[in-house]
Amino acid sequence: KLLPDSEAYEKSALSWFHAFRDGLRQYRDALGRFFPKPAAGLFLFSKFLDEWIIFIWASYSSLYFVHFLGLKDSFLSIVTQGPAYVAFLSLFLIIPNITEKQIIKILGLDQLFGLAALLILLCLTKGNENVLLICLISAGLAAVGNALYGSVSAAVWMNIMDEKDRAKVVASSYAMIKVGIFLTGSAGAFLYGKVSPLSLVWVMIGIRLVGFILLRRVSRQL
């Protein structure tokens, strides 16, 4: 109400079909300007892998801890709350001390924390008396990795894009990622339910290694 009237208005689309078509064209053009940039395709693929793991592990980590490792149900809240404090401290103690040049150099470090979080679970057998401690350490390492993923990787991703295309590239990229997860998410269910919970962990370990290699290539190209 306080701004002066600019008398500049967007034209209404002739129909929902035209609006939908124009929206798709804008997103397509934005992605067309994004993918030719150095390391853009590699980075986006690594981001899809990360989002796949986040989605799958959010669905099956509690089942893995309780049914496969033998963690008591009442300890799940501890395994959830403890890493939340770790992530909080990481965001306030680690992230602010990372310089702009260091962001590129440490790209992919989040994959190593995620890899360590998964590997430590392989050292634990069902019924182990240290099951709560191991689950806490694993979840804590994953929390640090997620903090780096949500800050360092996000910062690099934002800087690959042109500022004017940023909103459209983010929206269209996440749409592509969600569609990819929708199409491949059942693979996690098959591995966990039909093969074995350990097979899912090993696949995620392999994906973490691929993600690390991809992000190190991105770091070199940038």
Side-chain angles (χ1 to χ4, degrees), residues 17-217:
F17 173 78
H18 289 87
F20 182 70
R21 183 192 62 186
D22 291 344
L24 287 180
R25 177 183 54 79
Q26 292 181 38
Y27 289 135
R28 181 197 63 198
D29 294 344
L31 287 176
R33 292 186 290 270
F34 170 70
F35 276 109
K37 295 182 178 298
L42 290 177
F43 189 92
L44 191 57
F45 182 58
S46 72
K47 190 167 185 63
F48 165 72
L49 297 179
D50 283 325
E51 293 292 334
W52 189 87
I53 288 181
I54 290 172
F55 170 75
I56 293 298
W57 196 232
S59 302
Y60 292 103
S61 59
S62 296
L63 295 175
Y64 186 88
F65 291 152
V66 173
H67 296 298
F68 189 75
L69 297 181
L71 182 72
K72 293 183 179 179
D73 294 357
S74 57
F75 288 160
L76 276 177
S77 59
I78 301 175
V79 176
T80 302
Q81 188 175 13
Y85 291 125
V86 174
F88 180 82
L89 291 174
S90 300
L91 290 173
F92 278 88
L93 298 179
I94 299 176
I95 305 303
N97 295 314
I98 300 176
T99 65
E100 186 176 348
K101 292 182 178 179
Q102 289 174 332
I103 284 179
I104 299 295
K105 292 182 179 179
I106 68 172
L107 186 63
L109 189 61
D110 59 313
Q111 303 295 320
L112 296 182
F113 278 100
L115 184 62
L118 294 170
L119 287 173
I120 197 171
L121 295 178
L122 299 179
C123 302
L124 188 64
T125 56
K126 187 171 183 178
N128 192 300
E129 60 182 7
N130 296 319
V131 61
L132 176 60
L133 177 61
I134 296 299
C135 289
L136 277 173
I137 294 174
S138 175
L141 290 170
V144 176
N146 289 335
L148 292 173
Y149 172 69
S151 54
V152 173
S153 293
V156 173
W157 190 36
M158 292 298 109
N159 282 283
I160 294 177
M161 311 172 197
D162 291 331
E163 185 175 356
K164 65 178 182 179
D165 288 333
R166 192 167 290 157
K168 292 184 178 65
V169 171
V170 170
S172 52
S173 296
Y174 270 114
M176 293 169 58
I177 288 171
K178 295 303 181 182
V179 170
I181 290 175
F182 173 77
L183 294 175
T184 61
S186 57
F190 175 80
L191 289 170
Y192 189 92
K194 298 297 183 180
V195 183
S196 73
L198 274 179
S199 67
L200 178 61
V201 174
W202 278 111
V203 167
M204 290 193 296
I205 287 173
I207 292 175
R208 284 297 187 196
L209 288 172
V210 172
F212 176 74
I213 294 171
L214 290 175
L215 289 176
R216 293 317 299 165
R217 288 187 62 183

